[in-house]
């Protein structure tokens, strides 16, 4: 307002979990950002309540995980019921090699508070609340936003803008962009209920319960004795009437009675949503990059919305930081949209199956669901239809940053090129504890460092000074940049299908960029060049 025309490196529009995770990822690499939000404070209520294991790895990388571990409730099991009888039990993969549980429940208001606290602690993230973006001018060399605040309206210059402004993204509209995809008719009401209920932390799905005939009810336990209750509206039910407090109290009361809860309860918060599979054709528009719900809207079934958005934030965060720090070429940003849009389309393929089952779009789908659920009462083969297909990390197999997937053929096991790396417990720690903040080369040894790798590693360091080299199975201490990591039981080698001489190149977001049963120096260097947005 006083005429200052500072050009900010990155302006992030939207102070939700996705926007703040992007800010934290940038801050990790020393890049400052300014976060704008039209609201005066955080959201309230549970909203996106389920946080997946891979998201906890993201929180750990940006220095925010401790608060989440202290507050959230971890879980591994989900149960599905049909007319009061259990028909399916989901047990998500978990083992002592995993640092985090498959899933955690936490109200979004806490997620936002913890991420905000972490942002402030970095000293590299500034916030402006009650700051609404009313105009977006995107050019080849930057972006100018028009920002309306209680003190007045002003122009704000940025080299890059990350649009994390939600499903109704004003920036998307200002640039004339539209989401494309499918809308589903089924509506659900969300209600947060405070009650003392002894059921463990598990997801419960009730099909055709007495309290919601022909519909579905979902229940999740959250911290502080808050229970998330989602229930499907009946066909033809007026959504305006459905969100009246009196109506919600009556419906929730019937659901709680149906599960045998006859104690006191309080209604804390409520909302309504529909299931959609919608996405932009391209997540990048010049110097404006869309992340989270501004780029795509996915059904909540399988807890994909928030977790997919957090992966967006991490993906663009490390890439944009590398570009702004002069460590990578701007071509690296071009890999964001194909990688994350590919992840969204994969989510659509799985979430659409769950959505058609949870909210049948036609009478035919409704009959199919009724038949499958009825058979599930007595037939094992039909019970899998009630599987909610929980989210899994996406594999960037077709990414431009994964140029040699054919080398996977040399391995009988282990994470493929583009997949999230596999964790392994090592004494009191884990393999992921040894990864660097840039690219990491895992070199499997027979106990001694192979000097044949010296020239290749030196060439990699010239390209990428952040490179960390972890020598798996090295018996002696090593000198930088090589770090020795004992593997006395060969647990890491077994998990990665590796033998002495095998290499894995891992990206900053803990996805495998490439792997080689035996070193092929030119290919390793070309893969690193691709990951740095530079021509090989």
């Amino acid at each position: 307002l006083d005429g200052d025309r500072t050009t900010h490196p990155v302006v992030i529009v939207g102070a939700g979990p996705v926007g703040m995770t992007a800010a934290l990822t940038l801050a990790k690499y020393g890049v400052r950002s300014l976060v704008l939000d039209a609201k005066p404070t955080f959201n309230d209520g549970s909203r996106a309540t389920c946080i997946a294991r891979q998201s906890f790895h993201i929180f750990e990388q940006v220095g925010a995980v401790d608060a989440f571990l202290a507050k959230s409730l971890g879980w591994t099991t989900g149960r599905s019921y049909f007319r009061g009888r259990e028909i399916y039990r989901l047990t998500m993969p978990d083992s002592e090699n995993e640092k985090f549980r498959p899933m955690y429940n936490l109200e979004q208001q806490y997620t936002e508070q913890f991420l905000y606290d972490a942002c402030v602690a970095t000293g590299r993230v500034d916030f402006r609340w009650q700051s609404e973006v009313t105009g977006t001018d995107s050019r080849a060399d930057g972006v100018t936003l028009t920002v309306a605040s209680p003190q007045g309206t002003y122009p704000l210059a940025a080299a890059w803008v990350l649009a994390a402004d939600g499903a109704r993204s004003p920036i998307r509209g200002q640039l004339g962009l539209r989401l494309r995809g499918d809308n589903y008719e089924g509506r659900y009401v969300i209600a947060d209920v405070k009650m003392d209920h002894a059921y463990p932390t598990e997801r419960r799905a009730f099909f055709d319960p007495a309290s919601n005939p022909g519909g579905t009810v979902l229940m999740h336990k959250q911290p502080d004795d808050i229970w998330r209750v989602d229930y499907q509206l009946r066909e033809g039910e007026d959504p305006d009437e459905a969100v009246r407090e009196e109506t919600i109290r009556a419906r929730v009361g019937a659901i709680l009675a149906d599960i045998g809860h006859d104690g006191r309860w309080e209604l804390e918060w409520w909302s309504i949503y529909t299931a959609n599979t919608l996405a932009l054709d391209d997540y990048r528009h010049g110097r404006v990059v869309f992340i989270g719900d501004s780029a795509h809207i996915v059904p909540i079934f399988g807890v994909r919305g928030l977790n997919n958005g957090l992966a967006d934030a991490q993906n663009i965060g490390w890439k944009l930081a590398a570009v702004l720090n002069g460590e990578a070429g701007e071509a690296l940003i071009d890999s964001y949209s194909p990688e994350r849009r590919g992840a969204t389309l994969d989510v659509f393929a799985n979430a659409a199956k769950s959505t058609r089952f949870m909210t049948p779009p036609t009478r035919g789908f409704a009959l199919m669901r009724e038949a499958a659920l009825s058979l599930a009462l007595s037939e094992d083969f039909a019970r899998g239809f009630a599987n909610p297909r929980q989210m899994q990390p996406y594999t960037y197999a077709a990414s431009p940053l994964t140029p040699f997937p054919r080398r996977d053929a040399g391995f009988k096991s282990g994470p493929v090129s583009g997949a999230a790396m596999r964790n392994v417990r090592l004494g009191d720690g884990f393999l992921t504890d040894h990864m660097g903040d840039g690219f990491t080369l895992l070199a499997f040894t027979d106990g001694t460092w192979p000097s044949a790798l010296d020239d290749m590693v030196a060439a990699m360091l010239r390209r990428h000074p952040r490179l960390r080299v972890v020598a798996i199975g090295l018996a002696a201490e090593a000198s930088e940049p090589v770090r020795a990591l004992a593997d006395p039981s060969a647990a890491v080698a077994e998990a990665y299908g590796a033998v002495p001489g095998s290499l894995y190149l891992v990206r900053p977001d803990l996805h495998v960029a490439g792997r080689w049963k035996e070193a092929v120096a030119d290919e390793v260097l070309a893969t690193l060049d691709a990951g740095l947005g530079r021509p090989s």
Side-chain angles (χ1 to χ4, degrees), residues 461-527:
L461 283 167
R462 287 194 294 271
R463 289 163 162 81
H464 184 53
R466 290 184 187 270
L467 178 74
R468 175 173 294 182
V469 181
V470 179
I472 309 294
L474 190 62
E477 289 295 325
S479 57
E480 289 292 343
V482 178
R483 299 190 179 193
L485 182 60
D487 187 23
S489 63
V492 181
E494 182 178 350
Y496 282 75
V499 297
S502 297
L503 301 176
Y504 275 74
L505 183 62
V506 182
R507 301 167 17 155
D509 57 5
L510 304 185
H511 281 256
V512 176
R515 60 178 182 163
W516 297 263
K517 203 60 177 277
E518 296 178 352
V520 183
D522 288 347
E523 292 184 4
V524 176
L525 294 172
T527 302

Coordinates of all heavy atoms in Angstrom, one line a residue, residues 461-527:
L461 N 28.8 -35.4 -8.0 CA 29.0 -34.3 -7.1 C 29.2 -33.0 -7.8 O 28.7 -31.9 -7.3 CB 30.2 -34.6 -6.2 CG 29.9 -35.6 -5.0 CD1 31.2 -36.0 -4.4 CD2 28.9 -35.0 -4.0
R462 N 29.9 -33.0 -8.9 CA 30.0 -31.8 -9.7 C 28.7 -31.3 -10.2 O 28.5 -30.0 -10.2 CB 31.0 -32.0 -10.9 CG 32.4 -32.2 -10.5 CD 33.3 -32.1 -11.7 NE 33.2 -33.2 -12.6 CZ 33.8 -34.3 -12.6 NH1 34.7 -34.5 -11.6 NH2 33.6 -35.2 -13.5
R463 N 27.8 -32.2 -10.5 CA 26.5 -31.8 -10.9 C 25.6 -31.4 -9.8 O 24.7 -30.5 -9.9 CB 25.8 -33.0 -11.7 CG 26.4 -33.3 -13.1 CD 25.9 -34.7 -13.5 NE 26.1 -34.9 -14.9 CZ 27.2 -35.2 -15.5 NH1 28.3 -35.3 -14.8 NH2 27.2 -35.4 -16.8
H464 N 25.7 -32.1 -8.7 CA 24.8 -32.0 -7.5 C 25.5 -32.1 -6.2 O 25.7 -33.2 -5.6 CB 23.8 -33.1 -7.7 CG 22.7 -33.1 -6.7 ND1 21.9 -32.0 -6.4 CD2 22.2 -34.1 -5.8 CE1 21.0 -32.3 -5.5 NE2 21.1 -33.5 -5.1
P465 N 26.0 -30.9 -5.7 CA 26.8 -31.0 -4.5 C 26.0 -31.5 -3.3 O 26.6 -31.9 -2.3 CB 27.2 -29.5 -4.3 CG 27.1 -28.9 -5.6 CD 26.0 -29.6 -6.3
R466 N 24.7 -31.5 -3.3 CA 23.9 -32.0 -2.2 C 23.9 -33.6 -2.2 O 23.4 -34.2 -1.3 CB 22.4 -31.6 -2.3 CG 22.2 -30.1 -2.0 CD 20.7 -29.9 -2.1 NE 20.4 -28.5 -2.0 CZ 20.1 -27.8 -0.8 NH1 20.2 -28.5 0.3 NH2 19.9 -26.5 -0.8
L467 N 24.4 -34.2 -3.2 CA 24.4 -35.7 -3.3 C 24.9 -36.3 -2.0 O 25.9 -35.9 -1.5 CB 25.2 -36.1 -4.5 CG 25.3 -37.7 -4.7 CD1 24.0 -38.2 -5.2 CD2 26.5 -38.1 -5.6
R468 N 24.2 -37.3 -1.6 CA 24.6 -38.2 -0.5 C 24.8 -39.6 -1.0 O 24.0 -40.1 -1.8 CB 23.7 -38.2 0.7 CG 24.1 -39.2 1.8 CD 23.2 -39.1 3.0 NE 23.3 -37.8 3.7 CZ 22.7 -37.4 4.8 NH1 21.8 -38.3 5.3 NH2 22.9 -36.2 5.3
V469 N 25.9 -40.2 -0.7 CA 26.2 -41.6 -1.1 C 26.2 -42.5 0.2 O 26.9 -42.2 1.1 CB 27.6 -41.7 -1.8 CG1 27.8 -43.1 -2.2 CG2 27.6 -40.8 -3.0
V470 N 25.3 -43.4 0.2 CA 25.2 -44.4 1.3 C 25.7 -45.7 0.9 O 25.1 -46.3 0.0 CB 23.7 -44.4 1.9 CG1 23.7 -45.4 3.0 CG2 23.3 -43.1 2.3
A471 N 26.8 -46.2 1.4 CA 27.4 -47.5 1.1 C 26.8 -48.6 2.0 O 27.1 -48.7 3.2 CB 28.9 -47.4 1.2
I472 N 25.8 -49.3 1.4 CA 25.2 -50.4 2.2 C 26.1 -51.6 2.4 O 26.6 -52.1 1.4 CB 23.9 -50.8 1.5 CG1 23.0 -49.6 1.1 CG2 23.1 -51.8 2.4 CD1 22.4 -48.9 2.3
G473 N 26.3 -52.0 3.6 CA 27.2 -53.1 3.9 C 28.6 -52.8 4.0 O 29.5 -53.7 4.2
L474 N 29.0 -51.5 4.0 CA 30.4 -51.2 4.1 C 30.9 -51.4 5.5 O 30.3 -50.9 6.5 CB 30.6 -49.7 3.7 CG 32.1 -49.2 3.5 CD1 32.8 -50.0 2.4 CD2 32.1 -47.7 3.3
A475 N 32.0 -52.2 5.6 CA 32.4 -52.6 7.0 C 33.2 -51.5 7.7 O 33.2 -51.4 9.0 CB 33.3 -53.8 6.8
A476 N 33.9 -50.6 7.0 CA 34.7 -49.6 7.7 C 34.1 -48.2 7.5 O 33.2 -48.0 6.8 CB 36.1 -49.6 7.0
E477 N 34.6 -47.3 8.3 CA 34.2 -45.9 8.2 C 34.6 -45.4 6.8 O 35.6 -45.8 6.3 CB 34.9 -45.1 9.3 CG 34.3 -45.3 10.7 CD 32.9 -45.0 10.8 OE1 32.4 -44.0 10.2 OE2 32.1 -45.7 11.5
A478 N 33.8 -44.5 6.3 CA 34.1 -43.9 5.0 C 34.3 -42.4 5.1 O 33.9 -41.8 6.1 CB 32.9 -44.3 4.1
S479 N 34.8 -41.8 4.1 CA 35.0 -40.4 4.1 C 33.9 -39.8 3.2 O 33.4 -40.4 2.2 CB 36.4 -40.0 3.6 OG 36.6 -40.6 2.3
E480 N 33.6 -38.5 3.5 CA 32.6 -37.8 2.7 C 32.9 -37.8 1.2 O 34.1 -37.7 0.9 CB 32.4 -36.4 3.3 CG 31.7 -36.3 4.6 CD 30.2 -36.7 4.6 OE1 29.7 -36.8 3.5 OE2 29.7 -37.0 5.6
P481 N 31.9 -37.9 0.4 CA 30.5 -37.9 0.6 C 29.9 -39.3 0.9 O 28.7 -39.4 1.1 CB 29.9 -37.4 -0.7 CG 30.8 -38.0 -1.7 CD 32.2 -37.9 -1.1
V482 N 30.8 -40.3 1.0 CA 30.3 -41.7 1.2 C 30.1 -41.9 2.7 O 30.9 -41.5 3.5 CB 31.4 -42.7 0.7 CG1 30.9 -44.1 1.0 CG2 31.6 -42.5 -0.8
R483 N 28.9 -42.5 3.0 CA 28.6 -42.8 4.4 C 28.4 -44.3 4.5 O 27.6 -44.9 3.7 CB 27.3 -42.1 4.9 CG 27.5 -40.5 4.8 CD 26.3 -39.8 5.5 NE 26.5 -38.4 5.5 CZ 25.8 -37.6 6.2 NH1 24.8 -38.0 7.0 NH2 26.0 -36.3 6.1
A484 N 29.0 -44.9 5.4 CA 28.9 -46.4 5.6 C 27.6 -46.7 6.4 O 27.3 -46.0 7.4 CB 30.1 -46.9 6.3
L485 N 26.9 -47.7 5.9 CA 25.7 -48.2 6.6 C 25.8 -49.7 6.8 O 25.7 -50.4 5.7 CB 24.5 -47.7 5.9 CG 23.1 -48.1 6.6 CD1 23.0 -47.5 8.0 CD2 22.0 -47.7 5.7
A486 N 26.0 -50.2 8.0 CA 26.1 -51.6 8.2 C 24.7 -52.3 7.8 O 23.7 -51.7 8.1 CB 26.4 -51.9 9.6
D487 N 24.8 -53.5 7.3 CA 23.7 -54.3 7.0 C 24.0 -55.7 7.3 O 24.0 -56.6 6.4 CB 23.3 -54.1 5.5 CG 22.0 -54.8 5.1 OD1 21.1 -55.0 6.0 OD2 21.8 -55.1 3.9
P488 N 24.2 -56.0 8.6 CA 24.8 -57.4 9.0 C 23.8 -58.5 8.6 O 24.3 -59.6 8.3 CB 25.0 -57.2 10.5 CG 24.1 -56.1 10.9 CD 24.1 -55.2 9.8
S489 N 22.5 -58.3 8.7 CA 21.6 -59.4 8.3 C 21.2 -59.3 6.9 O 20.3 -60.1 6.5 CB 20.4 -59.3 9.2 OG 19.7 -58.1 9.0
A490 N 21.8 -58.4 6.1 CA 21.4 -58.2 4.7 C 19.9 -57.9 4.5 O 19.4 -58.2 3.4 CB 21.8 -59.5 3.9
A491 N 19.3 -57.2 5.5 CA 17.9 -56.9 5.4 C 17.7 -55.9 4.3 O 16.7 -56.0 3.6 CB 17.4 -56.4 6.7
V492 N 18.6 -54.9 4.2 CA 18.4 -53.9 3.1 C 18.6 -54.5 1.8 O 17.8 -54.2 0.8 CB 19.4 -52.7 3.4 CG1 19.1 -51.6 2.3 CG2 19.2 -52.1 4.8
A493 N 19.6 -55.2 1.6 CA 19.9 -55.9 0.3 C 18.7 -56.8 -0.1 O 18.3 -56.8 -1.3 CB 21.2 -56.7 0.4
E494 N 18.2 -57.5 0.8 CA 17.0 -58.4 0.5 C 15.8 -57.5 0.1 O 15.1 -57.9 -0.8 CB 16.7 -59.2 1.7 CG 15.6 -60.2 1.5 CD 15.3 -61.1 2.6 OE1 16.1 -61.1 3.6 OE2 14.3 -61.8 2.6
A495 N 15.5 -56.5 0.9 CA 14.4 -55.6 0.6 C 14.5 -55.0 -0.8 O 13.5 -54.7 -1.4 CB 14.2 -54.6 1.6
Y496 N 15.7 -54.7 -1.3 CA 15.9 -54.1 -2.5 C 16.4 -55.0 -3.7 O 16.7 -54.6 -4.8 CB 17.0 -52.9 -2.3 CG 16.4 -51.7 -1.7 CD1 16.0 -51.7 -0.3 CD2 16.0 -50.6 -2.5 CE1 15.4 -50.6 0.2 CE2 15.4 -49.5 -1.9 CZ 15.1 -49.5 -0.5 OH 14.5 -48.4 0.1
G497 N 16.4 -56.3 -3.4 CA 16.8 -57.3 -4.4 C 18.1 -57.0 -4.9 O 18.4 -57.3 -6.1
A498 N 19.0 -56.5 -4.1 CA 20.3 -56.0 -4.5 C 21.4 -57.0 -4.2 O 21.3 -57.9 -3.3 CB 20.6 -54.7 -3.8
V499 N 22.5 -56.9 -5.0 CA 23.8 -57.7 -4.7 C 24.9 -56.7 -4.7 O 24.7 -55.5 -5.1 CB 24.0 -58.7 -5.9 CG1 22.9 -59.7 -5.9 CG2 24.1 -58.0 -7.2
P500 N 26.1 -57.1 -4.2 CA 27.2 -56.1 -4.3 C 27.4 -55.6 -5.7 O 27.5 -56.3 -6.7 CB 28.4 -57.0 -3.8 CG 27.8 -58.0 -2.9 CD 26.4 -58.3 -3.5
G501 N 27.5 -54.2 -5.8 CA 27.6 -53.6 -7.1 C 26.3 -52.9 -7.5 O 26.3 -52.1 -8.5
S502 N 25.2 -53.3 -6.9 CA 23.9 -52.7 -7.3 C 23.8 -51.3 -6.8 O 24.3 -50.9 -5.8 CB 22.7 -53.5 -6.7 OG 22.7 -54.8 -7.2
L503 N 23.1 -50.5 -7.6 CA 22.9 -49.0 -7.3 C 21.4 -48.7 -7.3 O 20.7 -49.1 -8.2 CB 23.6 -48.2 -8.3 CG 25.1 -48.3 -8.4 CD1 25.7 -47.4 -9.5 CD2 25.8 -48.0 -7.0
Y504 N 21.0 -47.8 -6.4 CA 19.7 -47.2 -6.5 C 19.9 -45.7 -6.3 O 20.6 -45.2 -5.4 CB 18.8 -47.6 -5.3 CG 18.0 -48.9 -5.5 CD1 18.6 -50.1 -5.4 CD2 16.6 -48.8 -5.7 CE1 17.9 -51.3 -5.6 CE2 15.9 -50.0 -5.9 CZ 16.5 -51.2 -5.8 OH 15.8 -52.4 -5.9
L505 N 19.3 -44.9 -7.2 CA 19.4 -43.4 -7.1 C 18.0 -43.0 -6.7 O 17.0 -43.2 -7.3 CB 19.7 -42.8 -8.5 CG 19.9 -41.2 -8.4 CD1 21.0 -40.8 -7.5 CD2 20.1 -40.7 -9.8
V506 N 17.9 -42.3 -5.5 CA 16.7 -41.9 -4.8 C 16.5 -40.4 -4.9 O 17.4 -39.7 -4.5 CB 16.6 -42.5 -3.4 CG1 15.3 -42.1 -2.8 CG2 16.8 -44.0 -3.4
R507 N 15.3 -40.0 -5.2 CA 15.0 -38.5 -5.4 C 14.9 -37.9 -4.0 O 14.7 -38.6 -3.0 CB 13.7 -38.4 -6.2 CG 13.8 -38.9 -7.5 CD 12.5 -39.1 -8.3 NE 11.4 -38.3 -7.8 CZ 10.3 -38.0 -8.6 NH1 10.4 -38.3 -9.9 NH2 9.3 -37.3 -8.2
P508 N 14.8 -36.6 -3.9 CA 14.6 -35.9 -2.6 C 13.3 -36.3 -2.0 O 13.1 -36.2 -0.8 CB 14.6 -34.4 -3.0 CG 15.5 -34.4 -4.2 CD 15.2 -35.6 -5.0
D509 N 12.2 -36.7 -2.8 CA 10.9 -37.0 -2.2 C 10.8 -38.5 -1.9 O 9.7 -39.0 -1.7 CB 9.8 -36.6 -3.2 CG 9.9 -37.2 -4.6 OD1 10.8 -38.0 -4.8 OD2 9.1 -36.8 -5.5
L510 N 12.0 -39.2 -1.9 CA 12.1 -40.6 -1.5 C 11.5 -41.6 -2.5 O 11.1 -42.7 -2.2 CB 11.5 -40.9 -0.1 CG 12.1 -40.0 1.0 CD1 11.5 -40.4 2.4 CD2 13.6 -40.1 1.1
H511 N 11.4 -41.1 -3.8 CA 11.0 -42.0 -4.9 C 12.3 -42.5 -5.6 O 13.2 -41.7 -5.7 CB 10.0 -41.3 -5.8 CG 8.6 -41.3 -5.3 ND1 7.6 -42.2 -5.8 CD2 8.0 -40.6 -4.4 CE1 6.5 -41.9 -5.2 NE2 6.7 -41.0 -4.3
V512 N 12.2 -43.7 -6.2 CA 13.4 -44.2 -6.9 C 13.5 -43.6 -8.3 O 12.5 -43.7 -9.0 CB 13.3 -45.8 -7.0 CG1 14.4 -46.3 -7.8 CG2 13.3 -46.4 -5.6
A513 N 14.6 -42.9 -8.6 CA 14.8 -42.4 -9.9 C 15.3 -43.4 -10.9 O 15.0 -43.4 -12.1 CB 15.7 -41.2 -9.8
G514 N 16.0 -44.4 -10.4 CA 16.5 -45.5 -11.2 C 17.3 -46.5 -10.4 O 17.7 -46.2 -9.3
R515 N 17.5 -47.7 -11.0 CA 18.2 -48.7 -10.3 C 19.0 -49.6 -11.3 O 18.5 -49.7 -12.4 CB 17.3 -49.6 -9.4 CG 16.2 -50.3 -10.1 CD 15.4 -51.1 -9.1 NE 14.4 -51.9 -9.8 CZ 13.8 -53.0 -9.2 NH1 14.1 -53.4 -8.0 NH2 12.8 -53.6 -9.8
W516 N 20.1 -50.0 -10.9 CA 21.0 -50.8 -11.8 C 21.6 -52.0 -11.0 O 22.1 -51.8 -9.9 CB 22.1 -49.9 -12.3 CG 21.7 -48.8 -13.1 CD1 21.6 -48.7 -14.5 CD2 21.2 -47.5 -12.6 NE1 21.1 -47.5 -14.9 CE2 20.8 -46.7 -13.8 CE3 21.0 -46.9 -11.4 CZ2 20.3 -45.4 -13.7 CZ3 20.5 -45.7 -11.3 CH2 20.1 -44.9 -12.4
K517 N 21.4 -53.2 -11.6 CA 22.0 -54.4 -10.9 C 23.5 -54.2 -10.9 O 24.2 -54.6 -9.9 CB 21.6 -55.6 -11.6 CG 21.6 -56.9 -10.8 CD 20.7 -56.8 -9.6 CE 20.7 -58.1 -8.7 NZ 19.7 -59.1 -9.3
E518 N 24.1 -53.7 -11.9 CA 25.5 -53.3 -12.0 C 25.6 -51.9 -12.5 O 24.8 -51.5 -13.3 CB 26.3 -54.3 -12.9 CG 26.3 -55.7 -12.4 CD 27.0 -56.6 -13.4 OE1 27.3 -56.1 -14.5 OE2 27.2 -57.8 -13.0
A519 N 26.6 -51.1 -12.0 CA 26.7 -49.7 -12.4 C 26.8 -49.5 -13.9 O 27.6 -50.2 -14.5 CB 27.8 -49.1 -11.6
V520 N 26.0 -48.6 -14.4 CA 26.2 -48.1 -15.8 C 26.3 -46.6 -15.6 O 25.3 -45.9 -15.6 CB 24.9 -48.5 -16.6 CG1 25.2 -48.0 -18.1 CG2 24.7 -50.0 -16.6
A521 N 27.5 -46.1 -15.6 CA 27.8 -44.7 -15.2 C 27.1 -43.7 -16.0 O 26.5 -42.8 -15.5 CB 29.3 -44.5 -15.2
D522 N 27.1 -43.9 -17.4 CA 26.4 -43.0 -18.2 C 24.9 -42.8 -17.9 O 24.4 -41.8 -17.9 CB 26.6 -43.4 -19.7 CG 28.0 -43.2 -20.2 OD1 28.8 -42.5 -19.5 OD2 28.4 -43.7 -21.3
E523 N 24.3 -44.0 -17.6 CA 22.9 -43.9 -17.3 C 22.6 -43.3 -16.0 O 21.6 -42.6 -15.8 CB 22.3 -45.4 -17.4 CG 22.3 -45.9 -18.8 CD 21.6 -47.3 -18.8 OE1 21.0 -47.8 -17.8 OE2 21.6 -47.9 -19.9
V524 N 23.4 -43.6 -15.0 CA 23.3 -43.0 -13.7 C 23.4 -41.5 -13.8 O 22.6 -40.7 -13.2 CB 24.3 -43.5 -12.7 CG1 24.2 -42.8 -11.3 CG2 24.1 -45.0 -12.5
L525 N 24.4 -41.0 -14.5 CA 24.6 -39.6 -14.7 C 23.4 -38.9 -15.5 O 22.9 -37.8 -15.2 CB 25.9 -39.3 -15.4 CG 27.2 -39.6 -14.6 CD1 28.4 -39.5 -15.5 CD2 27.3 -38.8 -13.4
A526 N 22.9 -39.6 -16.5 CA 21.8 -39.1 -17.3 C 20.5 -39.0 -16.4 O 19.7 -38.1 -16.5 CB 21.6 -40.0 -18.5
T527 N 20.4 -40.0 -15.5 CA 19.2 -40.0 -14.6 C 19.3 -38.8 -13.6 O 18.3 -38.1 -13.4 CB 19.1 -41.3 -13.8 OG1 19.0 -42.4 -14.7 CG2 17.9 -41.3 -12.9

